[in-house]
Amino acid sequence: MELLRDVHVGLPPPSRGPARLALLSGHYLYYHYGCDGLDDRGWGCGYRTLQTLCSWPEGQPAGVPGLAAVQAALEDMGDKPPGFRGSRDWIGCVEASLCLAHFGGPQGRLCHVPRGAGLHGELQKLYSHFAGGGGPVMVGGDADARSKALLGICIGSGTEDYVLVLDPHYWGAPKSPSELQAAGWVGWQEVSAAFDPNSFYNLCLTSLSSQQQQHTLD
């Protein structure tokens, strides 16, 4: 199956009034359930979000690890016990940050938010991340354990704040970004609706090291 690139492009901004909007820089591929022929429904969303992070900033599949390679790496580095290979065990942002370093992907910086309601206090950090050239942000929690990626943020003048969410739980073969946008697999969501106020969340913010930035320029 051919992976789609930059599937958020073409979405209108969510706020009609004055707002500060920032989107990720670079390009990415949309990895989702079953996109490589493996049926990982119910357990693979964290792996798919990690793959999307690994495809940034070139938007190419080169260097993006498969699910088996991710499990082998986590077991070999001692983060997971023997027998993790071949399992259907989930992974989250902590494992993703380890794999980004292991596979030579972008840098992953972790941020812990004790309760989803506290994400309103992280909006400026997210805005600075995207405005400063940052890449996709992986998000995962406990009560809300569904992994997703953030691609941008829109801070309104009042209480309306939005995040641009990429959902890896799609199953099938999407024909175009517009199909995914129409079905809500990528789109703007109000912060209060996108996050469970009673769940903790980990964020993994991707960026390029100075060496990686120089390589990209070369």
Side-chain angles (χ1 to χ4, degrees):
M1 169 184 319
E2 185 174 351
L3 297 167
L4 296 180
R5 194 181 196 217
D6 300 339
V7 296
H8 70 287
V9 173
L11 282 168
S15 177
R16 297 179 181 178
R20 292 186 297 144
L21 188 150
L23 299 174
L24 81 169
S25 301
H27 306 281
Y28 64 90
L29 295 173
Y30 175 48
Y31 284 84
H32 55 86
Y33 279 166
C35 63
D36 54 4
L38 174 66
D39 186 351
D40 57 322
R41 286 176 289 184
W43 59 274
C45 57
Y47 299 85
R48 299 307 184 183
T49 303
L50 168 61
Q51 289 179 312
T52 291
L53 267 55
C54 288
S55 73
W56 182 81
E58 302 293 340
Q60 299 291 337
V64 176
L67 274 63
V70 169
Q71 291 186 335
L74 289 169
E75 188 175 316
D76 289 344
M77 70 178 72
D79 181 71
K80 298 298 181 187
F84 182 68
R85 286 177 173 90
S87 72
R88 295 189 172 191
D89 291 348
W90 299 7
I91 64 168
C93 288
V94 174
E95 292 91 342
S97 67
L98 293 172
C99 286
L100 289 172
H102 177 83
F103 290 105
Q107 292 181 323
R109 180 166 58 90
L110 292 173
C111 173
H112 178 71
V113 182
R115 289 170 62 87
L119 273 158
H120 283 281
E122 303 295 331
L123 298 185
Q124 184 56 51
K125 180 184 294 184
L126 287 170
Y127 179 85
S128 298
H129 169 76
F130 289 119
V137 176
M138 181 173 174
V139 180
D142 59 345
D144 175 13
R146 291 167 61 87
S147 176
K148 48 188 166 278
L150 306 182
L151 307 178
I153 187 166
C154 180
I155 301 177
S157 56
T159 58
E160 290 188 350
D161 301 314
Y162 300 85
V163 284
L164 181 53
V165 177
L166 181 67
D167 188 337
H169 296 85
Y170 176 87
W171 172 260
K175 297 180 176 61
S176 67
S178 59
E179 175 187 334
L180 296 168
Q181 294 172 13
W185 295 106
V186 58
W188 292 99
Q189 298 180 22
E190 282 197 63
V191 171
S192 58
F195 302 102
D196 183 339
N198 298 312
S199 176
F200 81 68
Y201 285 95
N202 287 322
L203 282 66
C204 182
L205 296 83
T206 56
S207 61
L208 296 179
S209 67
S210 56
Q211 183 176 1
Q212 289 172 320
Q213 289 175 351
Q214 185 60 45
H215 177 74
T216 302
L217 292 173
D218 294 341

